[in-house]
Amino acid sequence: MASAASSTSQRGQVDLVDFVDWSGVECLNQSGSHSIANALKQGYRDDDGLHLASDSDEQLLIYIPFTQMIKLHSIVIKGPEEEGPKTVKLFSNKEHMGFSNVGDYPPSDTVVLSDEQLKGQPVILKYVKFQNVRSLTIFVEDNQGGDDVTTVHKIALFGTTVDTTNMKDLKKIEDH
């Protein structure tokens, strides 16, 4: 399984955590004491004592905006054997999704996580569907054991940035 992880990094793929726009990250149905930051933020996500947990049922809806355009190559979703996510639907550039309308859109990719993937093996995505990504919505539909609580230890996104002009860096040309 190490070969999958090493081939990911050999192709110039990087951990995209530095390009997450933290002010816009949202997670619907997260437990108050086990929030998305525990699974997504650098340092937190590698602490086995911290995790993201669902609240009222097994579903989670996670919205991750980026500070610049990215190309998403693969995702790592770690979780426990019974409570870990099972069916995960990924949506590229879909904003303002809720549980009521998540079924209205076709996902960019759907993944059914295996035991190896829950232990940290990267899931290679349909790369062509994730070329100019401004935001990623992750819908955890169910979990491995069919329980009411889904637990996620780590979410890591791998890919590259798209070289674009940051409009915030441009200066307005003054009239002379």
Side-chain angles (χ1 to χ4, degrees):
M1 300 311 148
S3 63
S6 61
S7 67
T8 301
S9 59
Q10 286 177 356
R11 292 193 193 124
Q13 309 302 324
V14 298
D15 185 339
L16 297 169
V17 70
D18 292 336
F19 303 101
V20 171
D21 180 359
W22 293 104
S23 65
V25 172
E26 294 178 359
C27 182
L28 302 181
N29 194 37
Q30 67 184 342
S31 162
S33 56
H34 300 288
S35 69
I36 183 63
N38 291 344
L40 196 58
K41 280 198 170 182
Q42 192 77 39
Y44 290 56
R45 66 184 184 187
D46 296 315
D47 183 337
D48 290 338
L50 298 175
H51 63 273
L52 165 64
S54 63
D55 190 22
S56 61
D57 63 22
E58 75 281 7
Q59 295 185 334
L60 289 163
L61 190 59
I62 303 164
Y63 175 72
I64 305 169
F66 297 98
T67 56
Q68 66 185 73
M69 209 72 94
I70 59 124
K71 292 181 180 184
L72 187 61
H73 176 269
S74 56
I75 187 170
V76 170
I77 300 176
K78 285 179 71 175
E81 194 173 305
E82 286 296 311
E83 294 180 343
K86 181 178 180 183
T87 309
V88 178
K89 295 182 178 180
L90 304 166
F91 299 87
S92 174
N93 302 324
K94 289 281 184 229
E95 298 178 5
H96 311 296
M97 289 180 72
F99 290 109
S100 62
N101 69 352
V102 74
D104 295 349
Y105 307 103
S108 303
D109 204 350
T110 300
V111 178
V112 177
L113 295 170
S114 67
D115 289 344
E116 285 74 31
Q117 291 165 332
L118 276 177
K119 292 174 184 167
Q121 179 188 48
V123 178
I124 308 301
L125 302 174
K126 295 177 184 167
Y127 194 55
V128 69
K129 301 272 189 169
F130 298 96
Q131 289 298 299
N132 291 301
V133 180
R134 293 179 309 279
S135 66
L136 180 69
T137 302
I138 302 170
F139 175 51
V140 177
E141 192 168 41
D142 54 14
N143 60 37
Q144 300 289 331
D147 299 326
D148 284 343
V149 176
T150 297
T151 302
V152 180
H153 290 136
K154 178 179 185 173
I155 297 172
L157 306 169
F158 294 94
T160 58
T161 57
V162 176
D163 293 322
T164 58
T165 303
N166 185 345
M167 299 309 277
K168 293 177 184 173
D169 292 342
L170 296 179
K171 305 256 187 284
K172 183 178 177 185
I173 297 173
E174 297 295 326
D175 294 330
H176 293 291

